[in-house]
Amino acid sequence: MASAHSGSSSSSFTSTALLAMATTSLLVNSSLLLLSNMSSVMIVKLDYGNYIVWKHQIEVILDTYSMIDVTDESITAPDRFLKDSSGNFTAEINLAFIAWKNHEHAMFTFLNSTLSPLILALTVGQKFARGVWRVLERRFASISRSGVISLRNDLNTIKKGVDSIDGYFQKIKQAHDRLAAVLVFVDDEELLHIIFDGLPFEYDSFSSAIRTRSDVLSMEELNVLLNVEERVVKKRPTNVDSASLVMAVNFHS
Ligand SMILES: *[C@@H]1O[C@H](CO)[C@@H](O)[C@H](O)[C@H]1NC(C)=O
Ligand SMILES: *[C@@H]1O[C@H](CO)[C@@H](O)[C@H](O)[C@H]1NC(C)=O
């Protein structure tokens, strides 16, 4: 960019340019101050498990301070030098470029301060906030909207299968936590339905008995009850035909 002119740039500062530079550096100092305040507000530093939470947090802060443009790919750096009326570059420095560069630098320092040491290793060599942002987006691209949908699907389709009740709850909890890490929260009542839906038919009468209760069980209560039911189910003969099964279920309830 304008490399042919760079040799003469040092001699070309006018007093207007100097004044404007002083003004932009004042502005930048205040935005740096703002950003360093923001990084003390930031609680969650980015690590490998909390990208969505971190990103959301950054976007809220940047949006609040009208600095969201750091994440906007379509905004490109202004030219370093001004152009003359015929469109050729002059040796005069473009103040918009200086402001942009200082803004970028402040953003970079801010973003850098919100990364945990492991993540810092990913951004080595990046000199601009935009670059850091892009590297992180690429690295964590799998946790996109479709990622959230598939995490949700994972939770909804968990089946007890041959797992123990505790093993089944463990799987449900892990899927629940993975969703929580991307800011999708599933409440207990919905979890109860998911748990019932994933139980094998041996638990049908138990499930309908619980479902008709007017109060909502906590996860812990349901876990205790299901552990009891598991022992009952295990005691039943394994190769029952459907008639004796119905009898067993009726007998139990
Ligand atoms: C602008 O650049 C073109 C091509 O490099 C050159 O022919 C032209 O004379 C320049 N115009 C001015 C005003 O210097
Ligand atoms: C980024 O932050 C780390 C630790 O917070 C610091 O050691 C490092 O010097 C910073 N890098 C830059 C280029 O500011």
Side-chain angles (χ1 to χ4, degrees):
M1 185 196 333
S3 53
H5 298 281
S6 56
S8 59
S9 64
S10 60
S11 60
S12 69
F13 286 129
T14 62
S15 57
T16 327
L18 284 172
L19 178 66
M21 278 181 72
T23 314
T24 51
S25 91
L26 259 178
L27 283 174
V28 165
N29 282 343
S30 63
S31 79
L32 265 174
L33 191 65
L34 194 63
L35 287 167
S36 68
N37 285 342
M38 280 194 241
S39 52
S40 65
V41 169
M42 293 282 303
I43 304 153
V44 176
K45 283 201 175 198
L46 178 61
D47 59 37
Y48 279 99
N50 62 2
Y51 177 68
I52 302 266
V53 175
W54 173 86
K55 186 181 177 196
H56 176 73
Q57 192 175 228
I58 298 274
E59 282 174 342
V60 167
I61 291 173
L62 296 184
D63 205 25
T64 307
Y65 292 92
S66 308
M67 289 182 173
I68 198 73
D69 60 339
V70 70
T71 64
D72 186 344
E73 290 268 349
S74 67
I75 296 174
T76 53
D79 293 324
R80 183 187 289 264
F81 294 98
L82 293 175
K83 284 175 178 169
D84 60 22
S85 53
S86 58
N88 293 349
F89 282 114
T90 66
E92 199 160 337
I93 206 98
N94 180 5
L95 294 170
F97 171 78
I98 298 201
W100 174 86
K101 199 172 151 217
N102 290 334
H103 182 82
E104 258 290 341
H105 183 72
M107 286 305 310
F108 176 85
T109 306
F110 167 60
L111 281 186
N112 184 65
S113 73
T114 68
L115 308 179
S116 68
L118 272 177
I119 300 295
L120 278 172
L122 291 178
T123 64
V124 165
Q126 294 299 326
K127 293 191 174 57
F128 294 103
R130 231 159 280 262
V132 170
W133 191 261
R134 219 170 298 140
V135 163
L136 297 176
E137 281 205 316
R138 223 173 294 143
R139 171 59 184 76
F140 294 103
S142 57
I143 317 169
S144 55
R145 206 58 223 161
S146 65
V148 169
I149 291 167
S150 98
L151 285 177
R152 220 176 194 306
N153 195 46
D154 289 348
L155 174 65
N156 288 335
T157 56
I158 291 177
K159 297 274 177 265
K160 178 181 168 298
V162 294
D163 290 330
S164 66
I165 288 295
D166 284 340
Y168 178 46
F169 268 69
Q170 189 61 30
K171 280 189 183 162
I172 296 271
K173 187 186 179 310
Q174 284 165 353
H176 171 269
D177 291 351
R178 279 196 294 273
L179 275 168
V182 296
L183 296 180
V184 177
F185 301 103
V186 181
D187 65 26
D188 273 10
E189 198 167 351
E190 194 183 342
L191 272 184
L192 291 191
H193 286 292
I194 292 169
I195 288 171
F196 288 138
D197 287 347
L199 287 170
F201 70 90
E202 291 96 326
Y203 292 82
D204 283 358
S205 61
F206 171 85
S207 298
S208 47
I210 299 289
R211 278 188 215 253
T212 53
R213 286 170 60 135
S214 52
D215 56 328
V216 173
L217 284 175
S218 72
M219 282 297 141
E220 292 73 23
E221 288 168 325
L222 181 64
N223 179 275
V224 169
L225 291 177
L226 272 173
N227 266 298
V228 173
E229 185 66 12
E230 182 178 37
R231 287 195 284 276
V232 173
V233 167
K234 272 188 186 152
K235 277 190 203 142
R236 282 185 202 143
T238 43
N239 285 322
V240 286
D241 61 37
S242 50
S244 57
L245 180 80
V246 167
M247 278 172 62
V249 166
N250 287 342
F251 174 73
H252 171 68
S253 53

